[in-house]
Amino acid sequence: MTDPKAEAAPMTPPPTGRILSIDALRGLDMLMIVGVDRLVRAWAEWSGSPRSAAIAGQFEHAEWEGFRFYDLIFPLFLFLVGAVLPFSIGKLEGQGRGAAYRRVARRVVLLFALGLLCNNVLQFDWDDLRVAGVLQRIAVCYGFAAVIVLNTSARGQLIVTSAILLGYWALLLGVAPPGGEAGDFSRQGNLAGWVDRHFLPGKILEPYYGYGDNEGLLSTIPAVATTLLGALAGAWLRSARGPWEKAAGLAASGVAALALGSAWGIWFPIIKNLWTSSFVLVAGGWSLLLLALFYAVIDAAGWRRWAFPLVVVGVNAITIYVVPRFLDFDRLSRFFFGGVSALADRRIAGDFTPVAAAIGVLVAEWLFLYYLYRRRIFLRV
């Protein structure tokens, strides 16, 4: 997505402010995991139609190999973490490299600590503590990607990303776990799972495929590449090119990544739990296409008002991920919307209560975030 001739030409100073489409897309991404998934599944069960069941199936992770919509949620968030890196680091220009490193280190530590907090570290139950997690992976990927962005050009970042993806493929294809076979991508026999079982601190939970952790050690390496893909997209958006050229470049890159990832999947299967290189490209391709669409509609065409509900969520994404661990939105939903739910259940055929409850939770969560938004309260880490 870089044009050497364009880089050599005189350019106006690159923008450093927020891009609304990134906040909106992040908000959509977070809504998928804090309530929309539950609503879709409840609606499918209530309606009983094959079409709604098929849609609900996309809100479940693939059993092992393959790719469903729900498999995109986490890599899209990591991609967007990378997309804002050129802007956040750009704001530090002139403050010295030391200031940038201190900011990165602080964010890594706070994110990792928040992840442990969500994993109940304060219970001091060390035997059942899961050390790995979503926020922990975000922390690690952000830290490595930030250091790489600070020290390389866009071309260097592309080279590093390619080296990570090819190196991870070579590692899983060429190195056999003790007692196993090289190139075994099964649940039980893959190298990443063996490394997790023997070297990952903390408990490996059975729901996280049992033989390894979804956010394990080796699989975090290609997750850094996902973040770097976002950083490359962010650098493209920060350039002085025209808005429609930026949208077209993102879309073209998305199509190319999807095609390459799908083809690579023939030899290196698309597996989210292992975060295979083909998975990185397929998820990255969809992320680029979604960002292209949001950027074209919101920033290029200027249609912004419709995105406000998503932006309210997107600017406090970590907040709405963490707070439901401590604040019972189901109880809030029953308190404020229980009567409406009961009325709907009496008037609508079938058990509509789970659907109404899911809607109520989404409304309660959004109103909570809207209150924070109006008060200009944002969780900054």
Side-chain angles (χ1 to χ4, degrees), residues 298-372:
I298 296 173
D299 293 298
W303 297 342
R304 294 170 172 255
R305 290 187 178 181
W306 69 272
F308 175 73
L310 299 178
V311 172
V312 168
V313 181
V315 295
N316 252 323
I318 298 296
T319 302
I320 199 55
Y321 183 82
V322 173
V323 166
R325 272 74 174 173
F326 319 111
L327 186 60
D328 190 343
F329 283 103
D330 278 278
R331 186 174 181 180
L332 284 174
S333 173
R334 288 192 300 271
F335 181 82
F336 287 106
F337 309 113
V340 175
S341 174
L343 181 63
D345 204 34
R346 289 194 296 268
R347 292 179 175 271
I348 299 175
D351 184 9
F352 196 73
T353 300
V355 179
I359 294 172
V361 167
L362 274 172
V363 172
E365 289 173 334
W366 190 86
L367 289 175
F368 169 73
L369 291 177
Y370 181 64
Y371 173 81
L372 297 182

Side-chain angles (χ1 to χ4, degrees), residues 113-129:
L114 273 176
L116 291 177
L117 191 64
C118 290
N119 286 1
N120 295 316
V121 69
L122 294 181
Q123 302 307 309
F124 307 129
D125 184 1
W126 310 122
D127 291 335
D128 290 324
L129 176 66

Side-chain angles (χ1 to χ4, degrees), residues 20-372:
L20 196 66
S21 53
I22 294 179
D23 286 332
L25 184 53
R26 189 190 301 110
L28 175 66
D29 193 49
M30 289 309 302
L31 283 175
M32 293 299 113
I33 61 172
V34 300
V36 171
D37 53 348
R38 172 181 172 180
L39 174 59
V40 169
R41 289 192 286 266
W43 181 274
E45 187 173 347
W46 171 75
S47 68
S49 71
R51 178 172 296 180
S52 61
I55 294 173
Q58 289 297 316
F59 282 80
E60 301 284 351
H61 290 299
E63 289 294 327
W64 187 246
E65 293 186 24
F67 192 89
R68 295 180 185 173
F69 172 75
Y70 210 53
D71 295 321
L72 176 61
I73 304 304
F74 189 20
L76 175 59
F77 193 90
L78 279 177
F79 174 89
L80 294 174
V81 167
V84 301
L85 268 175
F87 297 92
S88 60
I89 289 176
K91 292 178 182 179
L92 297 176
E93 290 177 357
Q95 297 183 25
R97 195 171 293 267
Y101 283 137
R102 285 192 295 272
R103 177 172 177 174
V104 169
R106 179 178 63 85
R107 294 195 72 184
V108 169
V109 170
L110 289 176
L111 277 170
F112 204 96
L114 273 176
L116 291 177
L117 191 64
C118 290
N119 286 1
N120 295 316
V121 69
L122 294 181
Q123 302 307 309
F124 307 129
D125 184 1
W126 310 122
D127 291 335
D128 290 324
L129 176 66
R130 181 182 178 227
V131 174
V134 169
L135 292 179
Q136 293 90 317
R137 172 164 284 186
I138 293 173
V140 173
C141 291
Y142 164 79
F144 277 105
V147 171
I148 292 168
V149 169
L150 277 167
N151 291 280
T152 61
S153 64
R155 182 172 298 174
Q157 293 158 36
L158 183 59
I159 293 172
V160 172
T161 302
S162 301
I164 289 173
L165 297 181
L166 291 169
Y168 188 59
W169 182 33
L171 181 65
L172 294 194
L173 187 66
V175 178
E181 296 181 0
D184 186 344
F185 304 126
S186 68
R187 287 175 180 266
Q188 300 89 341
N190 69 83
L191 177 65
W194 184 90
V195 170
D196 288 344
R197 293 194 301 274
H198 290 82
F199 299 103
L200 179 66
K203 186 179 180 66
I204 296 176
L205 303 182
E206 192 63 33
Y208 296 95
Y209 93 86
Y211 299 95
D213 197 288
N214 282 21
E215 283 81 46
L217 294 172
L218 286 186
S219 59
T220 297
I221 298 172
V224 174
T226 297
T227 313
L228 287 173
L229 286 177
L232 288 167
W236 177 258
L237 291 179
R238 192 170 178 256
S239 72
R241 295 171 177 82
W244 291 108
E245 183 183 358
K246 293 177 182 178
L250 290 173
S253 299
V255 171
L258 267 175
L260 182 57
S262 299
W264 201 350
I266 298 172
W267 298 279
F268 195 14
I270 300 168
I271 304 173
K272 177 187 179 294
N273 287 317
L274 300 183
W275 216 275
T276 56
S277 303
S278 55
F279 173 80
V280 171
L281 290 177
V282 169
W286 284 117
S287 299
L288 284 161
L289 289 173
L290 281 171
L291 182 56
L293 175 63
F294 271 60
Y295 183 81
V297 172
I298 296 173
D299 293 298
W303 297 342
R304 294 170 172 255
R305 290 187 178 181
W306 69 272
F308 175 73
L310 299 178
V311 172
V312 168
V313 181
V315 295
N316 252 323
I318 298 296
T319 302
I320 199 55
Y321 183 82
V322 173
V323 166
R325 272 74 174 173
F326 319 111
L327 186 60
D328 190 343
F329 283 103
D330 278 278
R331 186 174 181 180
L332 284 174
S333 173
R334 288 192 300 271
F335 181 82
F336 287 106
F337 309 113
V340 175
S341 174
L343 181 63
D345 204 34
R346 289 194 296 268
R347 292 179 175 271
I348 299 175
D351 184 9
F352 196 73
T353 300
V355 179
I359 294 172
V361 167
L362 274 172
V363 172
E365 289 173 334
W366 190 86
L367 289 175
F368 169 73
L369 291 177
Y370 181 64
Y371 173 81
L372 297 182

